[in-house]
């Protein structure tokens, strides 16, 4: 039995040593083989040299170092393609995914009832309330309009069987939204709740705008509902304009009112212009995604690694 731990790292020089110590302790206490698969996602600090140090003194450590920052999704994908384990887990380097949960998760999988054990935070302490509110709305919306069901508070931290990992690697889409992909492929998942843990060191790479963009990407990647919104808008507007035409004609014929007001005309023109641009924007988002998919650029490029046989470009 081999467990692979995929750890995406971007500027994690402070947190990495702590993570390594803690998870090694936990893994050594478990009755199985293990490997670390650290993915250095183009860090600008000492992350890579720390990884090299770890790899030198511990044979359990493998690192892949990207040629630049490709993002956490790409780092996870690189991990999945190169993980050799029968069981594979993705973990953040900042201890927000507690390694102490691993034995419990592993026991649950080996009992055979589930194919993966995923974690979800039951609270969002230490997070700005406005951010939590937006996060809740996001989960509500995406679950309503997409076919990937995503649990509120779900983390990327989960332990999975080989079968699931193979399915994930097979999903080679360029625009990756892992929370959606995990849900989309199915399999039996147990959700393990735990109390939110704050970062041990370093700082988060997310800000509000990045999160908003991530949320919009998630919706566009897993739902066509926004496109339908555009056509509903169009139909509604057409109906409305018919009614308006009848109203104006009748008013003119029956009451003989002269045509008044350029103000209302200006309002209508700008309103319709706005709606049209909005709908075109929605379409544009999908076209942009399609464009990126069609180009079939690689997800990541590995510049160096301490393992000889790795998939360097995929
Ligand atoms: N990360 C990465 N590439 C990036 C941004 C983040 O590999 O471009 C890694 C980061 O090092 C960490 C994990 O993704 O291990 C989660 O990042 P972070 O803690 O900043 O996110 P949060 O926990 O605040 O959602
Ligand atoms: Mg974090």
């Amino acid at each position: 039995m081999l467990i692979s731990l995929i750890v995406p790292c971007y500027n994690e020089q402070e947190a990495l040593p702590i993570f390594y110590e803690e998870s090694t302790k936990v893994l050594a206490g478990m009755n199985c083989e293990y490997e670390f698969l650290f993915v250095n996602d183009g860090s600008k600090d000492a992350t890579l040299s720390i990884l090299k140090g770890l790899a030198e003194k511990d044979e359990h450590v493998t690192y892949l170092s990207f040629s630049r920052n490709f993002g956490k999704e790409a780092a996870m994908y690189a991990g999945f393609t190169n993980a050799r384990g029968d069981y594979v887990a993705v973990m953040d380097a900042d201890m927000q995914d507690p390694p102490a949960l691993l034995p419990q998760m592993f026991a649950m999988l080996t009992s055979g009832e589930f194919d993966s054990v995923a974690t979800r935070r039951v609270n969002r302490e230490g997070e700005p309330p406005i951010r939590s509110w937006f996060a809740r709305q996001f989960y509500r919306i995406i679950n309503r309009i997409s076919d990937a069901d995503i649990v509120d508070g779900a983390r990327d931290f989960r332990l999975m069987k080989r079968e699931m990992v193979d399915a994930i690697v097979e999903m080679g889409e360029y625009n990756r939204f892992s929370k959606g992909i995990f849900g989309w492929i199915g399999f039996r998942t147990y959700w393990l709740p735990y109390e939110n843990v704050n970062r041990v060191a370093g700082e988060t790479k997310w800000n509000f705008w990045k999160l908003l963009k991530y949320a919009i990407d998630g919706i566009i990647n897993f739902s066509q509902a926004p496109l339908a919104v555009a056509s509903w808008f169009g139909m509604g507007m057409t109906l409305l304009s018919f009614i308006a035409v009848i109203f104006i004609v009748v008013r003119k014929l029956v009451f003989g009112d002269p045509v008044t007001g350029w103000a209302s005309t200006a309002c209508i023109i700008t309103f319709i212009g706005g709606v049209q641009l909005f709908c075109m924007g929605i379409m544009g988002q999908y076209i942009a995604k399609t464009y990126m998919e069609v180009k079939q650029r690689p997800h990541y490029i590995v510049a160096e690694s301490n393992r000889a046989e790795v998939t360097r470009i995929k």
Side-chain angles (χ1 to χ4, degrees):
M1 286 297 184
L2 175 66
I3 296 190
S4 303
L5 283 196
I6 299 169
V7 190
C9 308
Y10 179 50
N11 297 343
E12 299 285 5
Q13 58 180 12
E14 290 95 8
L16 248 185
I18 308 174
F19 172 83
Y20 170 77
E21 290 283 319
E22 288 295 317
S23 37
T24 301
K25 252 185 250 162
V26 173
L27 287 165
M30 286 164 67
N31 190 16
C32 61
E33 289 290 306
Y34 65 92
E35 65 167 4
F36 285 104
L37 209 59
F38 290 103
V39 184
N40 172 34
D41 186 11
S43 302
K44 293 177 183 69
D45 62 0
T47 301
L48 181 58
S49 51
I50 293 175
L51 288 179
K52 282 181 178 166
L54 293 178
E56 237 161 64
K57 70 173 205 258
D58 185 352
E59 56 178 15
H60 294 108
V61 174
T62 301
Y63 67 85
L64 307 172
S65 185
F66 284 178
S67 59
R68 64 167 170 88
N69 178 254
F70 281 90
K72 187 186 174 187
E73 290 290 342
M76 292 200 289
Y77 193 54
F80 286 129
T81 25
N82 288 297
R84 297 184 288 201
D86 308 295
Y87 295 91
V88 178
V90 188
M91 294 182 84
D92 285 4
D94 59 5
M95 299 290 286
Q96 282 196 292
D97 300 330
L101 293 177
L102 281 171
Q104 195 185 345
M105 293 162 83
F106 183 60
M108 207 141 219
L109 279 195
T110 43
S111 77
E113 217 182 310
F114 296 99
D115 301 304
S116 89
V117 178
T119 58
R120 55 180 278 262
R121 299 187 287 181
V122 285
N123 62 348
R124 289 175 162 269
E125 234 137 82
E127 198 183 70
I130 182 85
R131 187 165 148 181
S132 307
W133 186 84
F134 271 105
R136 267 201 309 280
Q137 297 312 311
F138 165 71
Y139 286 112
R140 226 177 46 123
I141 293 173
I142 196 159
N143 278 316
R144 190 170 296 176
I145 65 178
S146 82
D147 43 20
D149 65 306
I150 299 171
V151 174
D152 188 357
R155 306 260 326 161
D156 290 331
F157 178 29
R158 57 166 76 207
L159 184 65
M160 310 173 250
K161 283 191 180 160
R162 184 79 246 169
E163 292 83 342
M164 245 178 118
V165 177
D166 291 341
I168 294 168
V169 173
E170 205 50 38
M171 305 253 304
E173 59 209 75
Y174 185 80
N175 300 287
R176 299 186 75 76
F177 181 68
S178 285
K179 287 186 171 62
I181 291 176
F182 295 150
W184 191 91
I185 57 174
F187 292 96
R188 297 161 304 172
T189 299
Y190 177 80
W191 286 96
L192 187 69
Y194 75 99
E195 298 275 321
N196 189 33
V197 185
N198 282 332
R199 214 172 220 290
V200 281
E203 52 197 55
T204 177
K205 279 84 200 172
W206 295 91
N207 57 36
F208 184 78
W209 291 111
K210 275 199 192 161
L211 277 174
L212 186 67
K213 196 177 161 289
Y214 181 65
I216 293 174
D217 277 353
I219 290 174
I220 290 177
N221 282 332
F222 278 92
S223 169
Q224 269 122 46
L227 284 175
V229 168
S231 25
W232 284 113
F233 244 135
M235 272 191 258
M237 292 296 299
T238 314
L239 200 72
L240 211 69
S241 68
F242 271 126
I243 297 170
V245 167
I246 293 169
F247 173 76
I248 290 165
V249 169
V250 169
R251 194 171 67 164
K252 170 75 183 148
L253 292 182
V254 178
F255 303 102
D257 282 356
V259 180
T260 52
W262 64 273
S264 49
T265 319
C267 291
I268 292 167
I269 291 173
T270 48
F271 177 66
I272 294 183
V275 170
Q276 277 178 339
L277 284 180
F278 177 70
C279 294
M280 260 166 64
I282 293 178
M283 282 186 338
Q285 290 287 332
Y286 283 88
I287 293 172
K289 297 274 174 211
T290 315
Y291 180 55
M292 289 313 289
E293 294 293 345
V294 168
K295 282 208 264 197
Q296 300 210 329
R297 284 191 181 157
H299 297 84
Y300 64 85
I301 299 168
V302 173
E304 59 175 300
S305 168
N306 63 331
R307 191 193 279 175
E309 61 313 345
V310 288
T311 312
R312 288 180 176 268
I313 301 176
K314 182 156 170 138

mmCIF file of all heavy atoms in Angstrom, residues 7-12 39 41 69-72 75 91-94 96 131 155 199 203-206, ligand 1:
data_model
loop_
_atom_site.group_PDB
_atom_site.id
_atom_site.type_symbol
_atom_site.label_atom_id
_atom_site.label_comp_id
_atom_site.label_asym_id
_atom_site.label_seq_id
_atom_site.Cartn_x
_atom_site.Cartn_y
_atom_site.Cartn_z
ATOM 1 N N VAL A 7 1.447 17.975 -2.732
ATOM 2 C CA VAL A 7 1.454 19.238 -2.001
ATOM 3 C C VAL A 7 1.848 20.393 -2.924
ATOM 4 O O VAL A 7 3.028 20.573 -3.225
ATOM 5 C CB VAL A 7 2.433 19.193 -0.806
ATOM 6 C CG1 VAL A 7 2.252 20.407 0.085
ATOM 7 C CG2 VAL A 7 2.274 17.913 -0.015
ATOM 8 N N PRO A 8 0.873 21.178 -3.406
ATOM 9 C CA PRO A 8 1.216 22.346 -4.223
ATOM 10 C C PRO A 8 1.837 23.425 -3.324
ATOM 11 O O PRO A 8 1.303 23.709 -2.266
ATOM 12 C CB PRO A 8 -0.140 22.846 -4.752
ATOM 13 C CG PRO A 8 -1.158 21.845 -4.309
ATOM 14 C CD PRO A 8 -0.569 21.061 -3.197
ATOM 15 N N CYS A 9 2.953 23.986 -3.755
ATOM 16 C CA CYS A 9 3.631 24.989 -2.930
ATOM 17 C C CYS A 9 3.947 26.229 -3.749
ATOM 18 O O CYS A 9 4.633 26.144 -4.764
ATOM 19 C CB CYS A 9 4.963 24.468 -2.402
ATOM 20 S SG CYS A 9 4.847 22.900 -1.587
ATOM 21 N N TYR A 10 3.457 27.341 -3.291
ATOM 22 C CA TYR A 10 3.797 28.600 -3.924
ATOM 23 C C TYR A 10 4.217 29.568 -2.833
ATOM 24 O O TYR A 10 3.393 29.959 -2.014
ATOM 25 C CB TYR A 10 2.597 29.129 -4.715
ATOM 26 C CG TYR A 10 2.833 30.451 -5.393
ATOM 27 C CD1 TYR A 10 3.960 30.655 -6.181
ATOM 28 C CD2 TYR A 10 1.939 31.498 -5.233
ATOM 29 C CE1 TYR A 10 4.186 31.861 -6.791
ATOM 30 C CE2 TYR A 10 2.150 32.713 -5.847
ATOM 31 C CZ TYR A 10 3.275 32.893 -6.627
ATOM 32 O OH TYR A 10 3.497 34.097 -7.234
ATOM 33 N N ASN A 11 5.481 29.919 -2.800
ATOM 34 C CA ASN A 11 6.033 30.774 -1.748
ATOM 35 C C ASN A 11 5.658 30.291 -0.349
ATOM 36 O O ASN A 11 5.024 30.992 0.410
ATOM 37 C CB ASN A 11 5.555 32.223 -1.927
ATOM 38 C CG ASN A 11 6.037 32.822 -3.227
ATOM 39 O OD1 ASN A 11 6.965 32.297 -3.846
ATOM 40 N ND2 ASN A 11 5.422 33.904 -3.644
ATOM 41 N N GLU A 12 6.066 29.086 -0.034
ATOM 42 C CA GLU A 12 5.704 28.493 1.263
ATOM 43 C C GLU A 12 6.934 28.230 2.126
ATOM 44 O O GLU A 12 6.967 27.270 2.877
ATOM 45 C CB GLU A 12 4.913 27.195 1.062
ATOM 46 C CG GLU A 12 3.609 27.325 0.325
ATOM 47 C CD GLU A 12 2.496 27.949 1.158
ATOM 48 O OE1 GLU A 12 2.772 28.381 2.300
ATOM 49 O OE2 GLU A 12 1.360 28.011 0.655
ATOM 50 N N VAL A 39 4.946 19.992 -5.344
ATOM 51 C CA VAL A 39 4.971 20.669 -6.634
ATOM 52 C C VAL A 39 5.278 22.141 -6.386
ATOM 53 O O VAL A 39 4.468 22.867 -5.824
ATOM 54 C CB VAL A 39 3.624 20.541 -7.364
ATOM 55 C CG1 VAL A 39 3.717 21.175 -8.738
ATOM 56 C CG2 VAL A 39 3.228 19.081 -7.485
ATOM 57 N N ASP A 41 5.304 25.569 -7.469
ATOM 58 C CA ASP A 41 4.582 26.272 -8.520
ATOM 59 C C ASP A 41 5.220 27.637 -8.801
ATOM 60 O O ASP A 41 4.619 28.682 -8.611
ATOM 61 C CB ASP A 41 3.126 26.430 -8.061
ATOM 62 C CG ASP A 41 2.242 27.026 -9.134
ATOM 63 O OD1 ASP A 41 2.694 27.117 -10.283
ATOM 64 O OD2 ASP A 41 1.112 27.404 -8.815
ATOM 65 N N ASN A 69 4.870 30.189 -12.440
ATOM 66 C CA ASN A 69 3.660 29.955 -11.653
ATOM 67 C C ASN A 69 2.494 29.600 -12.578
ATOM 68 O O ASN A 69 2.106 30.399 -13.424
ATOM 69 C CB ASN A 69 3.336 31.208 -10.826
ATOM 70 C CG ASN A 69 2.063 31.042 -10.025
ATOM 71 O OD1 ASN A 69 1.046 31.624 -10.367
ATOM 72 N ND2 ASN A 69 2.100 30.255 -8.994
ATOM 73 N N PHE A 70 1.989 28.374 -12.453
ATOM 74 C CA PHE A 70 0.874 27.947 -13.295
ATOM 75 C C PHE A 70 -0.443 27.903 -12.532
ATOM 76 O O PHE A 70 -1.480 27.651 -13.116
ATOM 77 C CB PHE A 70 1.143 26.557 -13.885
ATOM 78 C CG PHE A 70 2.070 26.552 -15.063
ATOM 79 C CD1 PHE A 70 3.435 26.425 -14.891
ATOM 80 C CD2 PHE A 70 1.584 26.676 -16.349
ATOM 81 C CE1 PHE A 70 4.300 26.425 -15.973
ATOM 82 C CE2 PHE A 70 2.445 26.672 -17.449
ATOM 83 C CZ PHE A 70 3.795 26.545 -17.253
ATOM 84 N N GLY A 71 -0.401 28.100 -11.233
ATOM 85 C CA GLY A 71 -1.630 28.060 -10.435
ATOM 86 C C GLY A 71 -1.822 26.729 -9.742
ATOM 87 O O GLY A 71 -1.268 25.706 -10.145
ATOM 88 N N LYS A 72 -2.626 26.758 -8.679
ATOM 89 C CA LYS A 72 -2.812 25.563 -7.860
ATOM 90 C C LYS A 72 -3.448 24.414 -8.636
ATOM 91 O O LYS A 72 -3.096 23.254 -8.440
ATOM 92 C CB LYS A 72 -3.670 25.892 -6.633
ATOM 93 C CG LYS A 72 -3.759 24.744 -5.654
ATOM 94 C CD LYS A 72 -4.708 25.000 -4.499
ATOM 95 C CE LYS A 72 -4.828 23.728 -3.660
ATOM 96 N NZ LYS A 72 -5.838 23.831 -2.612
ATOM 97 N N ALA A 75 -0.856 22.689 -10.557
ATOM 98 C CA ALA A 75 0.029 21.966 -9.645
ATOM 99 C C ALA A 75 -0.619 20.658 -9.193
ATOM 100 O O ALA A 75 0.035 19.608 -9.135
ATOM 101 C CB ALA A 75 0.366 22.843 -8.437
ATOM 102 N N MET A 91 -2.920 18.011 -0.472
ATOM 103 C CA MET A 91 -2.895 18.794 0.770
ATOM 104 C C MET A 91 -2.227 20.134 0.554
ATOM 105 O O MET A 91 -1.253 20.234 -0.168
ATOM 106 C CB MET A 91 -2.112 18.036 1.838
ATOM 107 C CG MET A 91 -2.765 16.764 2.278
ATOM 108 S SD MET A 91 -1.808 15.989 3.567
ATOM 109 C CE MET A 91 -2.405 16.863 5.004
ATOM 110 N N ASP A 92 -2.741 21.164 1.220
ATOM 111 C CA ASP A 92 -2.074 22.466 1.202
ATOM 112 C C ASP A 92 -0.842 22.413 2.101
ATOM 113 O O ASP A 92 -0.815 21.663 3.070
ATOM 114 C CB ASP A 92 -3.012 23.553 1.730
ATOM 115 C CG ASP A 92 -4.071 23.908 0.722
ATOM 116 O OD1 ASP A 92 -4.118 23.247 -0.337
ATOM 117 O OD2 ASP A 92 -4.844 24.846 0.989
ATOM 118 N N ALA A 93 0.123 23.251 1.779
ATOM 119 C CA ALA A 93 1.364 23.257 2.546
ATOM 120 C C ALA A 93 1.247 24.083 3.829
ATOM 121 O O ALA A 93 2.164 24.106 4.628
ATOM 122 C CB ALA A 93 2.488 23.802 1.683
ATOM 123 N N ASP A 94 0.119 24.754 4.023
ATOM 124 C CA ASP A 94 0.051 25.724 5.121
ATOM 125 C C ASP A 94 -0.601 25.174 6.386
ATOM 126 O O ASP A 94 -0.935 25.935 7.287
ATOM 127 C CB ASP A 94 -0.681 26.986 4.657
ATOM 128 C CG ASP A 94 -2.087 26.674 4.192
ATOM 129 O OD1 ASP A 94 -2.513 25.515 4.314
ATOM 130 O OD2 ASP A 94 -2.764 27.598 3.712
ATOM 131 N N GLN A 96 -3.515 24.087 6.738
ATOM 132 C CA GLN A 96 -4.962 24.283 6.839
ATOM 133 C C GLN A 96 -5.686 22.972 6.579
ATOM 134 O O GLN A 96 -6.869 22.832 6.879
ATOM 135 C CB GLN A 96 -5.420 25.349 5.845
ATOM 136 C CG GLN A 96 -5.112 26.749 6.342
ATOM 137 C CD GLN A 96 -5.892 27.789 5.571
ATOM 138 O OE1 GLN A 96 -5.647 28.002 4.387
ATOM 139 N NE2 GLN A 96 -6.809 28.437 6.230
ATOM 140 N N ARG A 131 -16.766 37.730 2.971
ATOM 141 C CA ARG A 131 -16.214 36.665 2.141
ATOM 142 C C ARG A 131 -16.999 35.365 2.350
ATOM 143 O O ARG A 131 -17.313 34.643 1.406
ATOM 144 C CB ARG A 131 -14.736 36.480 2.489
ATOM 145 C CG ARG A 131 -14.033 35.519 1.571
ATOM 146 C CD ARG A 131 -12.529 35.651 1.710
ATOM 147 N NE ARG A 131 -11.897 34.359 1.470
ATOM 148 C CZ ARG A 131 -10.596 34.154 1.531
ATOM 149 N NH1 ARG A 131 -9.781 35.133 1.823
ATOM 150 N NH2 ARG A 131 -10.101 32.958 1.311
ATOM 151 N N ARG A 155 -13.086 21.355 0.925
ATOM 152 C CA ARG A 155 -11.692 21.694 0.645
ATOM 153 C C ARG A 155 -11.202 20.793 -0.484
ATOM 154 O O ARG A 155 -11.873 19.824 -0.839
ATOM 155 C CB ARG A 155 -10.836 21.439 1.896
ATOM 156 C CG ARG A 155 -11.318 22.124 3.132
ATOM 157 C CD ARG A 155 -10.587 23.369 3.478
ATOM 158 N NE ARG A 155 -9.170 23.374 3.156
ATOM 159 C CZ ARG A 155 -8.465 24.489 3.048
ATOM 160 N NH1 ARG A 155 -9.048 25.653 3.201
ATOM 161 N NH2 ARG A 155 -7.179 24.452 2.773
ATOM 162 N N ARG A 199 -3.868 29.313 8.742
ATOM 163 C CA ARG A 199 -2.524 29.155 8.205
ATOM 164 C C ARG A 199 -1.466 29.237 9.310
ATOM 165 O O ARG A 199 -1.537 30.121 10.151
ATOM 166 C CB ARG A 199 -2.344 30.342 7.259
ATOM 167 C CG ARG A 199 -1.521 30.072 6.080
ATOM 168 C CD ARG A 199 -1.598 31.268 5.171
ATOM 169 N NE ARG A 199 -1.670 30.780 3.806
ATOM 170 C CZ ARG A 199 -0.640 30.204 3.213
ATOM 171 N NH1 ARG A 199 0.504 30.121 3.823
ATOM 172 N NH2 ARG A 199 -0.778 29.730 2.001
ATOM 173 N N GLU A 203 1.362 33.853 3.965
ATOM 174 C CA GLU A 203 0.026 34.408 3.800
ATOM 175 C C GLU A 203 -0.708 33.839 2.600
ATOM 176 O O GLU A 203 -0.098 33.271 1.691
ATOM 177 C CB GLU A 203 0.078 35.934 3.723
ATOM 178 C CG GLU A 203 1.046 36.464 2.704
ATOM 179 C CD GLU A 203 1.343 37.930 2.987
ATOM 180 O OE1 GLU A 203 1.766 38.246 4.122
ATOM 181 O OE2 GLU A 203 1.126 38.747 2.084
ATOM 182 N N THR A 204 -2.045 33.985 2.622
ATOM 183 C CA THR A 204 -2.869 33.407 1.578
ATOM 184 C C THR A 204 -2.591 34.082 0.239
ATOM 185 O O THR A 204 -2.222 35.248 0.185
ATOM 186 C CB THR A 204 -4.363 33.512 1.927
ATOM 187 O OG1 THR A 204 -5.125 32.989 0.831
ATOM 188 C CG2 THR A 204 -4.770 34.944 2.182
ATOM 189 N N LYS A 205 -2.750 33.309 -0.851
ATOM 190 C CA LYS A 205 -2.508 33.848 -2.185
ATOM 191 C C LYS A 205 -3.791 34.376 -2.802
ATOM 192 O O LYS A 205 -3.820 34.732 -3.981
ATOM 193 C CB LYS A 205 -1.920 32.762 -3.088
ATOM 194 C CG LYS A 205 -0.428 32.550 -2.917
ATOM 195 C CD LYS A 205 -0.127 31.627 -1.785
ATOM 196 C CE LYS A 205 1.296 31.770 -1.283
ATOM 197 N NZ LYS A 205 1.500 30.995 -0.067
ATOM 198 N N TRP A 206 -4.872 34.361 -2.020
ATOM 199 C CA TRP A 206 -6.152 34.766 -2.568
ATOM 200 C C TRP A 206 -6.536 36.144 -2.069
ATOM 201 O O TRP A 206 -6.326 36.474 -0.923
ATOM 202 C CB TRP A 206 -7.234 33.782 -2.155
ATOM 203 C CG TRP A 206 -7.025 32.436 -2.723
ATOM 204 C CD1 TRP A 206 -6.324 31.410 -2.137
ATOM 205 C CD2 TRP A 206 -7.487 31.956 -3.980
ATOM 206 N NE1 TRP A 206 -6.335 30.333 -2.971
ATOM 207 C CE2 TRP A 206 -7.038 30.627 -4.098
ATOM 208 C CE3 TRP A 206 -8.239 32.521 -5.012
ATOM 209 C CZ2 TRP A 206 -7.319 29.856 -5.216
ATOM 210 C CZ3 TRP A 206 -8.520 31.741 -6.115
ATOM 211 C CH2 TRP A 206 -8.062 30.433 -6.205
HETATM 212 N N1 LIG B 1 -0.794 27.500 -4.331
HETATM 213 C C1 LIG B 1 -0.146 27.116 -5.509
HETATM 214 N N2 LIG B 1 -0.121 27.987 -6.569
HETATM 215 C C2 LIG B 1 -0.725 29.216 -6.525
HETATM 216 C C3 LIG B 1 -1.405 29.574 -5.336
HETATM 217 C C4 LIG B 1 -1.419 28.683 -4.264
HETATM 218 O O1 LIG B 1 0.406 26.020 -5.587
HETATM 219 O O2 LIG B 1 -0.662 29.940 -7.511
HETATM 220 C C5 LIG B 1 -0.810 26.565 -3.168
HETATM 221 C C6 LIG B 1 -0.316 27.175 -1.874
HETATM 222 O O3 LIG B 1 1.079 27.080 -1.743
HETATM 223 C C7 LIG B 1 -1.035 26.336 -0.833
HETATM 224 C C8 LIG B 1 -2.345 25.988 -1.520
HETATM 225 O O4 LIG B 1 -2.141 26.203 -2.917
HETATM 226 O O5 LIG B 1 -0.332 25.138 -0.526
HETATM 227 C C9 LIG B 1 -3.501 26.836 -1.018
HETATM 228 O O6 LIG B 1 -3.178 28.205 -1.092
HETATM 229 P P1 LIG B 1 -3.622 29.257 0.005
HETATM 230 O O7 LIG B 1 -3.315 28.740 1.360
HETATM 231 O O8 LIG B 1 -3.038 30.568 -0.386
HETATM 232 O O9 LIG B 1 -5.193 29.290 -0.223
HETATM 233 P P2 LIG B 1 -6.326 29.343 0.932
HETATM 234 O O10 LIG B 1 -6.019 28.230 1.891
HETATM 235 O O11 LIG B 1 -6.214 30.680 1.546
HETATM 236 O O12 LIG B 1 -7.596 29.113 0.177
#
